[in-house]
Amino acid sequence: MEFFVDCLGASREVGRSAFMLRTDKNILLDYGIKIFDESNLPKFPLETSLKPDMMLLSHAHLDHSGCIPALYRDNKITWYSTPPTKDICEILWLDSMKIMGDGLPYRLGHFNKALKHWDPLLYKKPIQTGQTRIELFDAGHISGASMIDIEYKGKTFFYTGDFKCDETMMHKGAKFIDGVDTLMIESTYAQKDHPPRKEVEQRLMEEIYDTLESGGNVLLPSFALGRTQELIALIRSYDENVPVYVDGMGKEISRIYMQYPSYIKDPEKFKRAIRSVNLVAGIPDKKAATRQPSVIITSSGMMNGGPVLNYLFNLNSNSKIILTGYCVEGTNGNTLLNQGFITQDGEQLQVDLPIEYLDLSAHAGRTDLIKFIKKAGPEKVLLVHGDHPEEFAKELKEQHGFDALAPLPGERVILDEEK
Ligand SMILES: [Zn+2]
Ligand SMILES: [Zn+2]
């Protein structure tokens, strides 16, 4: 029986992560969407002629999970993930249907069916199906995020999903692993190291103090999932009193974070932090947020929708905008940072407030990627989830002697050529 993996997405791109691994089962690893493409239309995983037997989800971010309901147009397979991942997916998928409607390849019926076909899979509690053994490990990326270890006929295939080794406010960080035969690893930051976390945290707090002292608001456009929680925890771990308002879907997702305390680093501290911030419930709260110097954490992270756009035009001139996450080219976050404008209803709107970018990434930086690969000691390295992983593949080959490749979309990589 052949052992191979088909790359259905996230191949030489970030977005629509989807891979079909063939052992004695057909196993889908992630099934995401790419929300913003050059064409501004969503992109979905490539078609495959193999019928999946099961589906394993690394984490809830839509670029990994966003197309799962579409599997239930003509499948009854079980999909597996950690419990917080499933609960968060439910919120994100409902929101996608609200925003994208007909632009999605699934409808409410498929969404409901998908939720019925889920089974929990916990960290370090392996399951066996046929001759394939599956185990999840904490990826240190967001709540419930997993690295997936698959063993088949004595060979290990290890898929990192999105991961971070360094400790953050919310997570302890992924542990290094060894004894891997094939390593499929994200390479988002293959060409960049993140600045020291503590320095970035302190810089953020300085910016907050300076802006609030001069009577302004600090607007933090943030992904509802992951970044919102990290920022709440961060600000509260430095300062218990500075006024913080949280708006958007991040409120709902924070509730799920609290429902699964074992998936975060310091649940008691996070609970206290959440209780101490203002969760914006309506117009009066929104007004209160900008009426006084305060920090406003709100979605969407790339500023292409969500409450952030309303806040943006209600800030006084002493205010400041700080982006802490990656903004894809063409999004408002990106044009604001680089050209000082956003686009709303087809109109370019100038923003005359200072804008800064602080790197609080939830992904491993370049040095950790190399370290992770070296510790895993794989025979083969597959670089996915990166814009130009072919350069990194070349470097790993020439400087470190690895059989590394950056598969193309649609490429089949054979993992066991003996038989
Ligand atoms: Zn992610
Ligand atoms: Zn991702």
Side-chain angles (χ1 to χ4, degrees), residues 94-127:
L94 274 175
D95 186 62
S96 302
M97 285 191 285
K98 226 164 60 190
I99 296 170
M100 298 165 72
D102 289 347
L104 285 171
Y106 64 85
R107 298 289 170 266
L108 189 65
H110 309 124
F111 160 88
N112 286 324
K113 204 170 153 197
L115 293 177
K116 281 192 199 108
H117 284 84
W118 171 80
D119 260 351
L121 191 55
L122 308 179
Y123 294 151
K124 296 185 181 175
K125 296 268 187 260
I127 54 166

Side-chain angles (χ1 to χ4, degrees), residues 1-6 20-24 131 150-157 181-183 379-380 382 403 405 412-419:
M1 212 173 288
E2 237 186 342
F3 186 21
F4 61 79
V5 62
D6 284 344
M20 176 73 89
L21 181 71
R22 170 75 201 160
T23 60
D24 58 333
Q131 296 177 64
I150 295 167
E151 277 172 38
Y152 173 62
K153 288 189 172 175
K155 295 272 185 192
T156 300
F157 179 94
D181 294 294
T182 302
L183 177 65
E379 280 169 23
K380 207 185 258 312
L382 308 179
D403 176 8
L405 75 151
R412 171 168 295 177
V413 182
I414 307 290
L415 303 172
D416 187 352
E417 277 143 305
E418 298 145 7
K419 289 153 220 119

